[in-house]
Amino acid sequence: PLVGIVSSYNEIVPGHMNLDKIVNAVKLGVAMAGGTPVVFPAIAVCDGIAMGHVGMKYSLVTRDLIADSTEAMALAHQFDALVMVPNCDKNVPGLLMAAARINVPTVFVSGGPMLAGHVKGHKTSLSSMFEAVGSYAAGTITADDLEEIRERKTCPTCGSCSGMYTANSMNCLTEALGMGLKGNGTIPAVYSERIRLAKHAGMQVMEMYRKNIRPRDIMTKEAVLNALTVDMALGCSTNSMLHLPAIAHEIGMDFDISFANEISEKTPEPLPPCTGRPDLHGRS
């Protein structure tokens, strides 16, 4: 069997800089389980880098470009199965859409989340950087403080941006949909366990091929509603309301956005403890 491995690896998106290692592990898993891995690429835009200028107009449209181009490659070359290796905002839903269209046995394995940064003994995330830019503009921190937070501490590793933004949200929802193995959304990008997960994904897609288990067998209406419930429980990015309906459309489900209100009303969302929020200098 020919197994297409859709690699979103590139050298501009921080969440994708480790995907070459993920892809290599997937290839080993496929080969160990009796398949022939064949890698082909998918594009990806980093929303954080494309922010604040005309580049942001290009981000959302890449989701459908990714879905269309992956469909074209997979059907043109008649792959028997696929492993999708995404990690950021638009290529995770784009590849889920493609998986539903192509409907050959498919497993997802993401590149994993970035570790949190640490500034003055406190954890920081990408939102800390957004706040730091505003604080500098307001004159409450110095240029040196901004440089320390921005360039040295906030994004310390490869991986999808630390925080429950779209990438981490969709990677968790991929797992909830049943399209990724356990840990797909949560094992950090730099952990060796992520490499092991990738190898197991390659092995698992061969098991699905032998049993003829396809994405539309997994991504049912019930699975989408289950993912929406997980979405509400985790407090995922509101962009999931752009992407879940698009994924649902590909399986022929009429996704009424009012589902979200109904599910939200009965799904508890855990709140973090109120310990006092430290400022950029570590004071609470």
Side-chain angles (χ1 to χ4, degrees):
L2 287 179
V3 180
I5 302 174
V6 186
S7 171
S8 300
Y9 170 75
N10 65 47
E11 292 184 338
I12 191 164
V13 183
H16 292 196
M17 293 185 73
N18 65 321
L19 294 191
D20 54 340
K21 297 174 179 63
I22 300 294
V23 167
N24 285 338
V26 171
K27 289 172 68 177
L28 285 172
V30 169
M32 288 166 63
T36 301
V38 181
V39 180
F40 65 91
I43 62 170
V45 163
C46 177
D47 278 29
I49 296 173
M51 192 74 70
H53 51 77
V54 69
M56 185 44 60
K57 296 179 182 293
Y58 289 86
S59 179
L60 181 57
V61 296
T62 64
R63 184 192 71 183
D64 295 82
L65 289 172
I66 290 161
D68 293 346
S69 58
T70 302
E71 175 191 12
M73 284 289 289
L75 295 182
H77 299 98
Q78 289 293 291
F79 288 108
D80 298 297
L82 296 167
V83 180
M84 307 293 198
V85 188
N87 208 31
C88 282
D89 291 24
K90 307 307 183 296
N91 65 322
V92 179
L95 291 179
L96 284 166
M97 292 163 63
R101 287 185 201 171
I102 301 161
N103 203 36
V104 298
T106 302
V107 174
F108 277 67
V109 55
S110 76
M114 182 184 291
L115 293 182
H118 288 82
V119 174
K120 302 183 188 300
H122 294 276
K123 286 185 177 180
T124 62
S125 67
L126 187 62
S127 60
S128 306
M129 189 60 246
F130 298 152
E131 293 162 8
V133 172
S135 297
Y136 175 70
T140 58
I141 65 171
T142 67
D144 288 342
D145 287 330
L146 182 64
E147 182 181 359
E148 179 182 17
I149 296 165
R150 180 185 65 189
E151 293 185 351
R152 301 177 183 171
K153 301 290 179 65
T154 294
C155 298
T157 73
C158 61
S160 48
C161 297
S162 52
M164 191 51 83
Y165 304 110
T166 308
N168 286 327
S169 295
M170 292 308 302
N171 281 332
C172 288
L173 297 186
T174 297
E175 192 175 333
L177 280 168
M179 293 300 293
L181 300 181
K182 181 180 178 182
N184 178 73
T186 53
I187 299 170
V190 294
Y191 281 21
S192 57
E193 189 179 352
R194 174 66 55 179
I195 301 297
R196 186 160 59 247
L197 179 76
K199 188 180 290 186
H200 287 167
M203 297 168 72
Q204 187 61 38
V205 81
M206 292 304 301
E207 185 70 15
M208 294 174 67
Y209 167 75
R210 293 185 181 100
K211 294 180 178 178
N212 196 30
I213 300 173
R214 298 169 182 254
R216 285 182 221 159
D217 299 325
I218 299 169
M219 289 194 286
T220 60
K221 177 180 179 179
E222 291 74 21
V224 171
L225 295 179
N226 180 61
L228 184 55
T229 305
V230 172
D231 184 346
M232 296 301 148
L234 294 178
C236 288
S237 166
T238 52
N239 282 338
S240 60
M241 288 297 101
L242 287 174
H243 302 316
L244 283 176
I247 295 163
H249 175 75
E250 299 295 344
I251 65 167
M253 174 185 171
D254 184 11
F255 188 103
D256 186 334
I257 203 163
S258 65
F259 294 160
N261 289 334
E262 297 169 12
I263 291 175
S264 180
E265 286 171 0
K266 61 184 181 183
T267 305
E269 179 189 348
L271 296 175
C274 294
T275 56
R277 183 178 182 179
D279 64 16
L280 293 171
H281 298 284
R283 298 183 294 262
S284 294

